[in-house]
Protein backbone atom coordinates (compact mmCIF):
# COMPACT_ATOMS: atom_id res chain seq x y z
CA UNK A 1 0.00 0.00 0.00
CA UNK A 2 1.23 3.53 -0.76
CA UNK A 3 -0.17 6.99 -0.04
CA UNK A 4 -1.90 7.15 -3.44
CA UNK A 5 -3.98 4.01 -2.82
CA UNK A 6 -4.94 4.64 0.80
CA UNK A 7 -8.69 4.86 1.51
CA UNK A 8 -9.38 7.42 4.26
CA UNK A 9 -11.01 5.80 7.31
CA UNK A 10 -13.94 7.77 8.67
CA UNK A 11 -13.80 6.04 12.07
CA UNK A 12 -10.34 7.55 12.65
CA UNK A 13 -11.39 11.06 11.53
CA UNK A 14 -9.11 10.96 8.49
CA UNK A 15 -9.32 14.24 6.57
CA UNK A 16 -5.86 14.88 5.15
CA UNK A 17 -4.69 18.48 4.97
CA UNK A 18 -3.55 19.22 1.42
CA UNK A 19 -3.55 23.03 1.25
CA UNK A 20 0.09 24.15 1.17
CA UNK A 21 -0.76 27.69 2.36
CA UNK A 22 -2.41 26.31 5.52
CA UNK A 23 0.48 23.89 6.12
CA UNK A 24 2.91 26.83 5.90
CA UNK A 25 0.75 28.95 8.19
CA UNK A 26 0.95 26.19 10.84
CA UNK A 27 4.75 25.99 10.53
CA UNK A 28 5.11 29.80 10.71
CA UNK A 29 2.91 29.94 13.84
CA UNK A 30 5.01 27.44 15.81
CA UNK A 31 6.43 28.91 19.03
CA UNK A 32 10.14 29.63 18.78
CA UNK A 33 11.81 27.47 21.45
CA UNK A 34 13.84 24.31 21.99
CA UNK A 35 10.89 22.05 22.82
CA UNK A 36 10.30 18.78 21.05
CA UNK A 37 7.27 18.52 18.76
CA UNK A 38 4.52 15.99 19.43
CA UNK A 39 2.27 15.31 16.45
CA UNK A 40 -0.91 13.34 17.07
CA UNK A 41 -2.22 11.66 13.92
CA UNK A 42 0.51 12.32 11.30
CA UNK A 43 -1.71 10.57 8.72
CA UNK A 44 0.10 10.57 5.37
CA UNK A 45 2.82 12.86 6.71
CA UNK A 46 1.82 16.06 4.88
CA UNK A 47 2.43 18.22 7.98
CA UNK A 48 5.14 15.91 9.36
CA UNK A 49 7.45 16.52 6.39
CA UNK A 50 7.65 20.22 7.33
CA UNK A 51 7.86 19.56 11.08
CA UNK A 52 10.88 17.22 10.82
CA UNK A 53 12.71 19.91 8.82
CA UNK A 54 12.66 22.27 11.81
CA UNK A 55 12.52 20.09 14.94
CA UNK A 56 12.62 16.51 16.17
CA UNK A 57 9.17 14.96 16.21
CA UNK A 58 7.50 12.30 18.38
CA UNK A 59 4.34 11.09 16.60
CA UNK A 60 1.35 8.93 17.59
CA UNK A 61 -0.72 7.27 14.84
CA UNK A 62 -3.52 4.76 15.53
CA UNK A 63 -3.93 3.42 11.97
CA UNK A 64 -1.48 0.57 11.28
CA UNK A 65 -1.83 1.00 7.48
CA UNK A 66 -0.71 4.62 7.81
CA UNK A 67 2.09 3.60 10.19
CA UNK A 68 3.57 1.38 7.48
CA UNK A 69 3.45 4.22 4.94
CA UNK A 70 5.02 6.66 7.43
CA UNK A 71 7.79 4.22 8.35
CA UNK A 72 8.77 4.03 4.66
CA UNK A 73 8.33 7.71 3.92
CA UNK A 74 10.38 8.88 6.91
CA UNK A 75 13.00 6.09 7.00
CA UNK A 76 15.87 8.56 6.85
CA UNK A 77 14.44 10.72 9.69
CA UNK A 78 13.72 7.60 11.78
CA UNK A 79 17.35 6.45 11.30
CA UNK A 80 18.71 9.85 12.33
CA UNK A 81 16.23 10.00 15.28
CA UNK A 82 14.65 13.19 13.94
CA UNK A 83 11.35 11.29 13.84
CA UNK A 84 9.96 8.68 16.21
CA UNK A 85 6.65 7.00 15.45
CA UNK A 86 4.43 5.33 18.06
CA UNK A 87 1.76 3.14 16.45
CA UNK A 88 -1.32 3.03 18.64
CA UNK A 89 -4.04 5.06 20.29
CA UNK A 90 -2.57 8.20 21.88
CA UNK A 91 -5.30 8.23 24.55
CA UNK A 92 -4.11 4.82 25.80
CA UNK A 93 -0.60 6.21 26.23
CA UNK A 94 -1.94 9.07 28.36
CA UNK A 95 -4.19 6.65 30.29
CA UNK A 96 -1.30 4.38 31.20
CA UNK A 97 1.00 7.24 32.19
CA UNK A 98 1.17 7.55 35.99
CA UNK A 99 2.11 11.25 35.98
CA UNK A 100 -0.05 12.35 33.02
CA UNK A 101 3.01 12.88 30.78
CA UNK A 102 2.64 11.85 27.15
CA UNK A 103 6.44 11.98 26.80
CA UNK A 104 9.08 12.71 29.42
CA UNK A 105 10.45 15.98 28.11
CA UNK A 106 8.98 19.43 27.37
CA UNK A 107 7.01 19.45 24.15
CA UNK A 108 4.73 21.53 21.94
CA UNK A 109 1.72 19.75 20.46
CA UNK A 110 1.40 20.57 16.74
CA UNK A 111 -1.28 18.64 14.91
CA UNK A 112 -4.26 18.46 12.62
CA UNK A 113 -6.26 16.54 15.19
CA UNK A 114 -8.79 13.74 14.65
CA UNK A 115 -11.96 15.78 15.28
CA UNK A 116 -13.93 13.04 17.09
CA UNK A 117 -11.49 13.19 20.06
CA UNK A 118 -9.98 16.67 19.62
CA UNK A 119 -11.49 18.24 22.78
CA UNK A 120 -10.39 15.29 24.90
CA UNK A 121 -6.83 15.45 23.49
CA UNK A 122 -6.57 19.21 24.13
CA UNK A 123 -7.82 18.86 27.72
CA UNK A 124 -5.25 16.09 28.31
CA UNK A 125 -2.49 18.30 26.83
CA UNK A 126 -3.58 21.24 29.02
CA UNK A 127 -3.23 18.99 32.07
CA UNK A 128 0.12 17.50 30.97
CA UNK A 129 2.95 19.43 32.69
CA UNK A 130 5.33 18.46 29.85
CA UNK A 131 3.12 20.15 27.24
CA UNK A 132 4.10 23.83 26.90
CA UNK A 133 2.16 25.01 23.81
CA UNK A 134 -0.69 23.68 21.72
CA UNK A 135 -1.02 24.55 18.01
CA UNK A 136 -3.82 22.48 16.54
CA UNK A 137 -6.49 22.26 13.89
CA UNK A 138 -10.00 21.31 15.02
CA UNK A 139 -13.48 22.02 13.79
CA UNK A 140 -14.14 25.79 13.93
CA UNK A 141 -16.74 25.58 16.69
CA UNK A 142 -14.35 23.75 19.02
CA UNK A 143 -11.56 26.28 18.29
CA UNK A 144 -13.97 29.13 19.05
CA UNK A 145 -14.92 27.58 22.39
CA UNK A 146 -11.28 27.26 23.52
CA UNK A 147 -10.51 30.84 22.37
CA UNK A 148 -13.75 32.49 23.53
CA UNK A 149 -13.77 35.73 25.55
CA UNK A 150 -16.12 36.53 28.42
CA UNK A 151 -19.51 37.85 27.29
CA UNK A 152 -19.66 35.77 24.09
CA UNK A 153 -22.50 33.22 24.08
CA UNK A 154 -19.91 30.52 23.34
CA UNK A 155 -17.82 31.39 26.46
CA UNK A 156 -17.94 28.37 28.76
CA UNK A 157 -15.88 25.79 30.65
CA UNK A 158 -13.37 25.26 27.78
CA UNK A 159 -12.63 28.98 27.51
CA UNK A 160 -12.32 29.37 31.28
CA UNK A 161 -10.05 26.31 31.66
CA UNK A 162 -7.86 27.69 28.83
CA UNK A 163 -7.69 31.21 30.28
CA UNK A 164 -6.77 29.65 33.64
CA UNK A 165 -3.58 28.20 32.11
CA UNK A 166 -2.56 30.79 29.51
CA UNK A 167 -3.53 32.64 26.33
CA UNK A 168 -5.37 31.38 23.26
CA UNK A 169 -5.98 32.78 19.80
CA UNK A 170 -7.28 31.63 16.43
CA UNK A 171 -4.49 31.58 13.85
CA UNK A 172 -6.50 30.74 10.72
CA UNK A 173 -9.95 29.66 9.61
CA UNK A 174 -9.80 26.79 7.14
CA UNK A 175 -12.49 25.81 4.60
CA UNK A 176 -13.41 22.17 3.81
CA UNK A 177 -11.65 22.44 0.41
CA UNK A 178 -8.26 22.41 2.17
CA UNK A 179 -8.72 18.71 2.98
CA UNK A 180 -8.92 15.39 1.19
CA UNK A 181 -11.67 14.20 1.60
CA UNK A 182 -13.32 17.52 2.56
CA UNK A 183 -15.11 17.46 5.95
CA UNK A 184 -18.68 18.79 6.20
CA UNK A 185 -17.72 21.63 8.55
CA UNK A 186 -15.30 24.58 8.67
CA UNK A 187 -12.08 24.16 10.63
CA UNK A 188 -9.62 26.45 12.40
CA UNK A 189 -6.03 26.41 13.58
CA UNK A 190 -5.50 27.88 17.05
CA UNK A 191 -2.64 28.39 19.46
CA UNK A 192 -2.68 28.03 23.25
CA UNK A 193 0.44 29.32 24.99
CA UNK A 194 0.52 27.72 28.43
CA UNK A 195 1.83 29.67 31.39
CA UNK A 196 0.82 27.06 33.98
CA UNK A 197 -0.92 23.68 34.16
CA UNK A 198 -4.62 22.93 34.05
CA UNK A 199 -6.64 24.06 37.07
CA UNK A 200 -7.76 21.51 39.64
CA UNK A 201 -10.61 19.08 39.06
CA UNK A 202 -12.86 20.55 41.77
CA UNK A 203 -12.73 23.93 40.04
CA UNK A 204 -13.76 22.23 36.80
CA UNK A 205 -16.58 20.43 38.63
CA UNK A 206 -17.84 23.81 39.82
CA UNK A 207 -17.73 25.06 36.20
CA UNK A 208 -19.80 22.08 35.14
CA UNK A 209 -22.47 23.09 37.68
CA UNK A 210 -22.20 26.77 36.66
CA UNK A 211 -22.96 25.92 33.02
CA UNK A 212 -25.55 23.13 33.53
CA UNK A 213 -28.18 25.35 31.93
CA UNK A 214 -26.13 28.01 30.10
CA UNK A 215 -29.04 30.39 29.43
CA UNK A 216 -30.31 30.38 33.04
CA UNK A 217 -28.74 32.60 35.69
CA UNK A 218 -25.46 31.60 37.31
CA UNK A 219 -27.16 31.83 40.71
CA UNK A 220 -29.84 29.32 39.68
CA UNK A 221 -27.27 26.85 38.36
CA UNK A 222 -24.91 27.12 41.32
CA UNK A 223 -27.65 26.92 43.94
CA UNK A 224 -28.54 23.43 42.69
CA UNK A 225 -25.33 22.26 44.39
CA UNK A 226 -24.03 25.01 46.72
CA UNK A 227 -25.63 26.67 49.73
CA UNK A 228 -27.79 29.64 48.60
CA UNK A 229 -27.04 31.88 51.62
CA UNK A 230 -23.29 31.54 51.04
CA UNK A 231 -23.73 32.23 47.31
CA UNK A 232 -25.72 35.42 48.01
CA UNK A 233 -22.96 36.63 50.31
CA UNK A 234 -20.19 35.86 47.78
CA UNK A 235 -22.09 37.37 44.82
CA UNK A 236 -22.41 40.61 46.79
CA UNK A 237 -18.74 40.58 47.73
CA UNK A 238 -17.72 40.12 44.07
CA UNK A 239 -20.28 42.67 42.79
CA UNK A 240 -22.04 40.05 40.66
CA UNK A 241 -25.67 40.90 39.97
CA UNK A 242 -28.14 38.10 40.69
CA UNK A 243 -29.36 37.97 37.09
CA UNK A 244 -25.87 37.46 35.61
CA UNK A 245 -25.60 34.51 33.16
CA UNK A 246 -22.72 32.02 33.31
CA UNK A 247 -21.04 33.32 30.09
CA UNK A 248 -20.96 36.89 31.46
CA UNK A 249 -18.62 36.12 34.39
CA UNK A 250 -14.88 36.35 33.77
CA UNK A 251 -12.26 33.72 34.60
CA UNK A 252 -10.80 35.69 37.53
CA UNK A 253 -14.24 35.95 39.16
CA UNK A 254 -14.86 32.22 38.64
CA UNK A 255 -11.64 31.51 40.57
CA UNK A 256 -12.66 33.91 43.34
CA UNK A 257 -16.11 32.35 43.52
CA UNK A 258 -14.51 28.92 43.76
CA UNK A 259 -12.11 29.95 46.53
CA UNK A 260 -14.96 31.43 48.56
CA UNK A 261 -17.65 28.76 48.19
CA UNK A 262 -15.62 25.54 48.36
N1 LIG B 1 -1.94 15.04 10.13
C1 LIG B 1 -2.57 14.50 8.95
C2 LIG B 1 -2.92 15.64 8.02
O1 LIG B 1 -2.92 16.78 8.48
O2 LIG B 1 -3.21 15.38 6.87
C3 LIG B 1 -3.82 13.68 9.29
C4 LIG B 1 -4.86 14.37 10.11
S1 LIG B 1 -6.37 13.46 10.28
C5 LIG B 1 -7.49 14.81 10.60
C6 LIG B 1 -6.29 12.73 11.89
C7 LIG B 1 -5.23 11.63 12.06
O3 LIG B 1 -5.31 11.15 13.41
C8 LIG B 1 -5.43 10.40 11.18
O4 LIG B 1 -4.20 10.02 10.63
C9 LIG B 1 -5.94 9.32 12.14
O5 LIG B 1 -5.65 8.00 11.75
C10 LIG B 1 -5.23 9.72 13.43
N2 LIG B 1 -5.90 9.27 14.67
C11 LIG B 1 -7.23 9.12 14.90
N3 LIG B 1 -7.47 8.70 16.14
C12 LIG B 1 -6.25 8.58 16.75
C13 LIG B 1 -5.83 8.16 18.05
N4 LIG B 1 -6.73 7.80 18.97
N5 LIG B 1 -4.50 8.13 18.32
C14 LIG B 1 -3.59 8.50 17.37
N6 LIG B 1 -3.93 8.90 16.12
C15 LIG B 1 -5.23 8.94 15.81
Amino acid sequence: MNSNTVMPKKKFGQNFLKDEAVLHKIIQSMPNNANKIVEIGPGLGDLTKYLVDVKSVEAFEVDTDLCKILQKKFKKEIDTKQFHLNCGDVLNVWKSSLDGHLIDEPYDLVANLPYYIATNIILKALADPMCKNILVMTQLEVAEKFCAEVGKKIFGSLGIITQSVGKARIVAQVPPTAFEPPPKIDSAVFLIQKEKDRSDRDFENMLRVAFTQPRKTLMKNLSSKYEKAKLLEVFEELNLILTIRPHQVNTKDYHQLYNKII
Side-chain angles (χ1 to χ4, degrees):
M1 182 179 304
N2 64 43
S3 48
N4 297 326
T5 59
V6 80
M7 283 291 288
K9 298 185 181 82
K10 229 176 165 179
K11 67 169 177 175
F12 290 141
Q14 290 175 357
N15 299 96
F16 302 112
L17 179 58
K18 294 296 174 191
D19 188 314
E20 288 291 321
V22 179
L23 287 162
H24 285 126
K25 183 83 188 163
I26 295 174
I27 299 298
Q28 282 159 10
S29 309
M30 279 166 55
N32 188 4
N33 58 37
N35 297 340
K36 189 159 202 147
I37 296 296
V38 162
E39 187 186 12
I40 295 175
L44 293 167
D46 292 296
L47 177 60
T48 322
K49 68 177 186 281
Y50 293 111
L51 294 175
V52 292
D53 263 355
V54 279
K55 292 238 180 134
S56 83
V57 176
E58 184 83 25
F60 298 82
E61 174 54 65
V62 74
D63 183 342
T64 47
D65 291 336
L66 292 182
C67 281
K68 284 181 204 141
I69 292 172
L70 290 163
Q71 271 151 352
K72 259 199 217 150
K73 212 179 237 180
F74 293 99
K75 184 175 180 328
K76 190 175 98 229
E77 290 79 5
I78 290 172
D79 289 346
T80 59
K81 303 202 178 337
Q82 186 70 353
F83 182 56
H84 184 250
L85 180 63
N86 303 273
C87 292
D89 185 334
V90 71
L91 294 178
N92 287 341
V93 182
W94 254 315
K95 216 182 283 166
S96 58
S97 155
L98 293 178
D99 42 21
H101 299 177
L102 186 55
I103 61 171
D104 282 323
E105 61 182 292
Y107 72 87
D108 293 342
L109 172 62
V110 182
N112 170 22
L113 291 175
Y115 292 0
Y116 72 108
I117 45 169
T119 300
N120 196 355
I121 287 174
I122 296 164
L123 288 173
K124 290 251 177 328
L126 286 174
D128 183 346
M130 287 299 166
C131 179
K132 304 300 175 192
N133 298 286
I134 300 171
L135 176 64
V136 286
M137 174 107 69
T138 63
Q139 72 181 80
L140 176 62
E141 197 191 329
V142 171
E144 284 176 339
K145 283 184 180 164
F146 277 100
C147 300
E149 293 294 336
V150 63
K152 297 262 183 249
K153 285 254 157 69
I154 206 163
F155 186 64
S157 302
L158 295 181
I160 296 165
I161 292 169
T162 304
Q163 289 182 359
S164 302
V165 306
K167 292 181 293 209
R169 69 179 168 89
I170 303 244
V171 168
Q173 285 200 22
V174 183
T177 48
F179 302 86
E180 192 64 58
K184 289 200 173 68
I185 32 93
D186 283 332
S187 304
V189 178
F190 66 104
L191 173 67
I192 302 176
Q193 293 172 287
K194 281 174 73 181
E195 283 144 14
K196 42 188 156 132
D197 295 318
R198 189 170 152 195
S199 43
D200 73 68
R201 295 304 157 103
D202 286 339
F203 175 69
E204 292 176 18
N205 287 338
M206 183 200 75
L207 291 180
R208 217 158 286 134
V209 179
F211 284 90
T212 2
Q213 297 192 77
R215 303 293 155 245
K216 301 278 181 201
T217 65
L218 178 63
M219 176 58 82
K220 182 167 178 12
N221 287 339
L222 287 179
S223 50
S224 69
K225 165 129 193 253
Y226 304 99
E227 196 195 321
K228 180 93 182 245
K230 181 72 187 168
L231 286 170
L232 287 168
E233 192 186 296
V234 176
F235 267 54
E236 193 176 338
E237 235 180 280
L238 297 178
N239 279 323
L240 298 174
I241 53 168
L242 295 180
T243 52
I244 203 160
R245 312 277 147 170
H247 69 280
Q248 295 171 320
V249 175
N250 66 35
T251 299
K252 186 165 160 256
D253 281 346
Y254 270 111
H255 281 280
Q256 299 217 36
L257 250 171
Y258 171 69
N259 290 334
K260 289 173 193 287
I261 62 175
I262 298 294

